[in-house]
Amino acid sequence: MGAKDALTKVAHMSIGLPDTLSYYLEKDFAAGFKKTMAFQPRVIKQNRGSSGEGIWIVKLKKGNYCKKYGERSCKDDEVLELMEANDNHAEEHTVAEFIEFCVSGRTDKSGEWTSKGVGKYLEGGKEA
């Protein structure tokens, strides 16, 4: 079991955070990310590797977080401030663009990325 899965398994214990999730399916990622992102800043890590590529610190540009987890979900057009852990470079993208990049990589829907990474973080599923 990887460190990310361990955090997910303790999410509902006294030492965990209930908004800690692992995603392996596109539909789960889109819904879960929008719900957790609306609550507080996130760290999103791809399922493979540990060099920092594909690890993003993600914040809502407007900072309009809900007070209670699950109170709302982000809309596709909300703007995110992103910082990638491997080189600390910053980018701004909408929620929809970030989800598209994480799921499908560089496409017309994901916008322009300066990251060296290619996205597609769900590739390989749980086994990756």
Side-chain angles (χ1 to χ4, degrees):
M1 171 187 338
K4 185 173 70 172
D5 286 325
L7 290 172
T8 303
K9 290 197 182 293
V10 301
H12 296 286
M13 300 171 100
S14 62
I15 60 168
L17 297 170
D19 61 326
T20 303
L21 304 172
S22 293
Y23 308 107
Y24 300 102
L25 302 173
E26 179 179 349
K27 67 178 178 59
D28 295 339
F29 177 65
F33 176 73
K34 288 178 179 181
K35 182 178 176 182
T36 59
M37 191 68 244
F39 180 56
Q40 64 184 351
R42 314 298 319 152
V43 174
I44 301 294
K45 181 190 181 304
Q46 67 178 325
N47 199 36
R48 59 195 180 277
S50 60
S51 66
E53 183 182 304
I55 300 174
W56 294 95
I57 298 164
V58 187
K59 298 178 181 178
L60 290 175
K61 184 170 184 172
K62 288 187 177 179
N64 57 331
Y65 299 100
C66 59
K67 294 189 186 307
K68 184 178 172 191
Y69 176 55
E71 222 169 40
R72 78 174 192 94
S73 289
C74 285
K75 294 183 173 30
D76 284 342
D77 63 351
E78 289 186 66
V79 178
L80 304 172
E81 293 178 336
L82 306 155
M83 186 172 67
E84 194 169 18
N86 67 328
D87 61 4
N88 294 329
H89 85 278
E91 301 201 27
E92 280 189 8
H93 290 279
T94 65
V95 169
E97 288 172 336
F98 184 67
I99 291 171
E100 177 71 10
F101 181 75
C102 290
V103 172
S104 301
R106 296 172 191 269
T107 70
D108 290 341
K109 291 187 203 175
S110 69
E112 293 291 319
W113 288 78
T114 59
S115 172
K116 295 174 190 167
V118 297
K120 299 181 183 182
Y121 301 143
L122 303 180
E123 260 187 5
K126 203 171 199 173
E127 296 75 35

